[in-house]
Amino acid sequence: MAMKDCPAVPVLQRSAARIPHLRDLFDSDPARGHELRATGAGITLDYSKQRVDTGVLQALAQLAEQAGLSEERERLFAGEVVNRTENRAAWHTALRTPTALQTTEQQCVEEQLQRMTLLVDRIQSGVWRGFSGKRITDVVNLGVGGSDLGPLMVTHGLREYSEPAVRGLKVHFASTIDGSQLFDLLDHLNPETSLFIISSKSFTTIDTLSNADTVRSWLGSHCVDEALMLRCHFIGVSAAQQKMSDWGLPSDNQLHFWQWVGGRFSLWSAIGLPIALALGMSVFRRLLAGAHAMDEHFRTAPVLQNLPVMLALLGIWNVNFLDIRAHAILPYDGRLKYFPSYLEQLEMESNGKSVGQDGELLDYSTCPVLWGEIGANAQHAFYQLLHQGTQSVASDFIVAARRYEALDHYAHQEQLLAQHQLNIANCLAQSRVLAFGDAAVAPDDNPWRRYPGNQPSSTLLLEQLGPESLGALIAAYEHKVFTQAVIWNINPFDQWGVELGKQVALQLQPLLQDPDAAAVAGLDASTRELALSIQQQQSGSEGGAA
Ligand code: F6P
């Protein structure tokens, strides 16, 4: 049923008009800190600091059922078509189904994992050699969007867990189309010992292919035997096998995945190769296991105890009923530095939509603007706006209870443990002040020192950040996105909104290179004047734009 027709909607609208300040919600229900939580796959979600009460929660649970969540979730897990504009499944859950439970259609997953294992083993053990016979010391992932953000985030997040045998191998990432990251890397990499992964589901993304072409030219200036260079220094990961071959990649250097894996849901596939190279295949398998545990929780837990469903429902409550259109992701853990940017793509590319599954323009809001930063650093950057600005912002705090305990051989363990406690204290302090304002301490008379509070937040508590818990955390957000899309009646698995810009860039590129000013004459006035200024500055000619 479309959201606007769900009987729960008017109930929620009426509730939104009467829901009191968070201070009053806590005063009237002292048990909420204990009761308003959901635990799944080892992660606890405390949502007591959201502006909800029992009535709101019940209506939100009804909304999920009235919108058809249970049925659509079954379709997702069964590998049926849920990406309707592209007529395909979105079967990322199959990528983490344990081998013993795989159905016949899922066996291709294990086959690719086995190929990936062999490849990882050859590289890590030094069997794979560069063109001059030296072992590989550096691997660079060339990819963008889903072919970059997930692997980068996990590799950074779990570095401490890398298997001892793989610690010599350095894994880097280059995504930017301007070549700047690559320029920095190529400056110090040794062509004889560097291996490049071209990661692209479509194998048509110009950002990635232009980086790959630059590397090919760089390597070509060191190794004249092109076939040898391609065989020893490039691996391709894609769903477009033929395109990899056309580019020149030998079939033994190709790993495959499938159209039914969405780009931003693909880190569990061979797109995770940089993760496996940096951390070890066993760590990669543990990541999959953690995600699978969250899949099972999402599939089976009742709504109000279902962690991803609650993340989704609270988001909908904030956006559609409390009119809060900004959402901050605040991990209190330096290892999760790239988690906010990973979620920016996952959430906004999936649910930044204004047309429903039926092709009709929606008359309600969908995905909020979502951004984030390591929480404690953001305290010194944008928290001022959260505490005293004019915007309402919902926040997710993410923190691990335990850290540094395994360092008992390390001389500075005690200081690090103390830093960890300080970090946790900051995390709890911020969600407390956001919720209760200066009532958390003695209020000040100066108006500029007042804190109104009532900014809602959730806290995701991990016992420890590790392969299983990170896998579960990512899967939780994937299922949050899916649940919201079901309720908003949109397709979270396409991204038509990014296509037009790519086409226009390809139209503009030759015009910018044309020395004749007439080439840009047909453009809009702003773009034309910018193009003329750029042409003039590039040719070094004097004066401003004509
Ligand atoms: O342009 C957006 C996008 O298609 C994303 O959805 C995707 O993750 C990214 O580009 C990279 O695509 P590919 O893996 O096909 O190179």
Side-chain angles (χ1 to χ4, degrees):
M1 192 187 302
M3 181 166 148
K4 61 179 170 18
D5 302 323
C6 291
V9 167
V11 178
L12 287 163
Q13 282 165 338
R14 285 194 297 276
S15 303
R18 60 139 187 92
I19 199 80
H21 193 288
L22 275 164
R23 276 195 294 266
D24 302 323
L25 284 169
F26 273 82
D27 284 348
S28 60
D29 179 10
R32 63 185 281 130
H34 170 66
E35 285 170 358
L36 300 194
R37 42 171 60 197
T39 301
I43 302 177
T44 299
L45 168 72
D46 167 10
Y47 57 92
S48 60
K49 294 193 190 82
Q50 294 285 346
R51 291 162 57 187
V52 292
D53 61 11
T54 320
V56 171
L57 290 171
Q58 274 162 5
L60 286 170
Q62 283 159 4
L63 178 67
E65 286 316 312
Q66 289 162 5
L69 176 63
S70 305
E71 296 79 14
E72 192 68 355
R73 183 171 49 195
E74 282 310 306
R75 283 194 276 275
L76 176 83
F77 279 96
E80 290 175 22
V81 171
V82 287
N83 176 354
R84 295 185 176 82
T85 58
E86 295 175 311
N87 193 31
R88 48 171 93 126
W91 216 9
H92 38 282
T93 53
L95 301 171
R96 53 234 190 180
T97 302
T99 318
L101 302 180
Q102 278 169 356
T103 61
T104 322
E105 306 103 285
Q106 293 172 339
Q107 278 164 9
C108 55
V109 172
E110 186 54 35
E111 277 160 33
Q112 280 306 307
L113 277 169
Q114 293 296 344
R115 291 198 62 220
M116 189 168 154
T117 307
L118 288 176
L119 209 60
V120 168
D121 192 47
R122 286 180 60 212
I123 297 163
Q124 287 172 345
S125 65
V127 171
W128 184 299
R129 300 270 159 164
F131 68 83
S132 64
K134 293 190 180 152
R135 89 185 264 160
I136 299 300
T137 57
D138 292 83
V139 176
V140 185
N141 187 67
L142 307 175
V144 72
S147 302
D148 167 65
L149 293 164
L152 170 67
M153 179 267 289
V154 174
T155 302
H156 186 83
L158 298 179
R159 223 174 265 285
E160 286 167 17
Y161 288 86
S162 66
E163 293 168 3
V166 304
R167 290 205 178 135
L169 194 66
K170 292 191 274 307
V171 177
H172 317 268
F173 293 83
S175 56
T176 60
I177 198 170
D178 70 339
S180 53
Q181 293 167 326
L182 206 51
F183 176 72
D184 287 347
L185 281 170
L186 299 186
D187 198 37
H188 72 266
L189 287 183
N190 179 352
E192 294 173 71
T193 60
S194 299
L195 175 65
F196 296 85
I197 307 170
I198 310 177
S199 295
S200 174
K201 178 181 173 184
S202 60
F203 222 78
T204 58
T205 306
I206 51 168
D207 314 53
T208 301
L209 294 181
S210 59
N211 275 330
D213 287 340
T214 300
V215 171
R216 187 178 185 146
S217 141
W218 176 74
L219 281 168
S221 64
H222 295 91
C223 171
V224 284
D225 181 341
E226 191 174 36
L228 180 70
M229 180 260 278
L230 287 168
R231 197 170 66 245
C232 299
H233 293 278
F234 285 102
I235 291 173
V237 183
S238 182
Q241 225 166 308
Q242 186 57 47
K243 290 200 172 79
M244 286 197 279
S245 302
D246 295 345
W247 197 83
L249 290 168
S251 54
D252 283 349
N253 292 29
Q254 300 179 13
L255 289 175
H256 307 142
F257 63 110
W258 308 272
Q259 288 301 340
W260 46 260
V261 180
R264 51 194 172 274
F265 299 83
S266 66
L267 72 88
W268 322 100
S269 71
I271 287 289
L273 180 64
I275 303 173
L277 284 169
L279 310 176
M281 204 62 204
S282 66
V283 175
F284 187 66
R285 293 260 188 191
R286 287 171 62 192
L287 184 80
L288 300 183
H292 176 70
M294 185 55 79
D295 292 343
E296 286 303 293
H297 168 77
F298 173 56
R299 223 175 153 158
T300 55
V303 172
L304 296 182
Q305 278 102 53
N306 193 312
L307 193 153
V309 174
M310 285 315 297
L311 282 176
L313 292 175
L314 294 163
I316 285 184
W317 168 245
N318 286 329
V319 169
N320 298 104
F321 299 95
L322 298 183
D323 200 26
I324 301 176
R325 290 144 189 268
H327 191 138
I329 303 295
L330 306 167
Y332 274 71
D333 197 313
R335 296 169 294 180
L336 292 178
K337 175 177 166 118
Y338 296 108
F339 194 63
S341 42
Y342 166 77
L343 280 191
E344 283 164 15
Q345 186 200 19
L346 180 68
E347 298 222 10
M348 295 198 281
E349 197 173 69
S350 299
N351 283 345
K353 311 275 167 70
S354 51
V355 173
Q357 296 267 21
D358 51 6
E360 296 291 320
L361 206 57
L362 303 176
D363 60 2
Y364 47 82
S365 297
T366 57
C367 189
V369 172
L370 180 134
W371 90 108
E373 181 54 79
I374 295 171
N377 289 7
Q379 287 176 210
H380 304 280
F382 59 75
Y383 272 42
Q384 167 65 37
L385 179 147
L386 304 188
H387 289 298
Q388 292 184 323
T390 52
Q391 307 282 333
S392 284
V393 180
S395 303
D396 287 358
F397 290 87
I398 304 170
V399 68
R402 291 170 49 199
R403 183 145 195 225
Y404 301 127
E405 286 157 4
L407 294 183
D408 43 12
H409 54 284
Y410 186 68
H412 309 293
Q413 184 196 25
E414 248 177 64
Q415 284 96 320
L416 285 174
L417 286 170
Q419 281 200 257
H420 180 55
Q421 288 304 84
L422 194 58
N423 176 54
I424 294 178
N426 270 277
C427 177
L428 297 184
Q430 291 298 331
S431 65
R432 188 166 143 76
V433 176
L434 283 174
F436 306 115
D438 43 25
V441 289
D444 194 296
D445 283 343
N446 293 315
W448 52 88
R449 298 184 79 164
R450 296 303 309 264
Y451 293 75
N454 212 24
Q455 293 275 48
S457 71
S458 297
T459 300
L460 288 132
L461 178 63
L462 280 53
E463 188 188 333
Q464 293 192 61
L465 180 70
E468 289 85 358
S469 60
L470 183 56
L473 182 70
I474 300 166
Y477 277 96
E478 287 181 345
H479 296 317
K480 168 200 170 181
V481 162
F482 171 77
T483 302
Q484 291 190 327
V486 172
I487 296 171
W488 284 325
N489 190 29
I490 54 178
N491 179 2
F493 300 117
D494 63 14
Q495 57 283 322
W496 297 105
V498 301
E499 293 307 321
L500 187 58
K502 294 181 191 172
Q503 280 173 32
V504 175
L506 289 178
Q507 282 164 9
L508 284 177
Q509 188 191 17
L511 304 184
L512 289 176
Q513 280 159 357
D514 192 330
D516 185 354
V520 294
L523 298 175
D524 66 89
S526 165
T527 313
R528 183 180 65 236
E529 291 304 316
L530 285 167
L532 287 171
S533 300
I534 290 164
Q535 281 174 348
Q536 281 164 3
Q537 287 171 19
Q538 287 182 345
S539 65
S541 59
E542 300 281 313

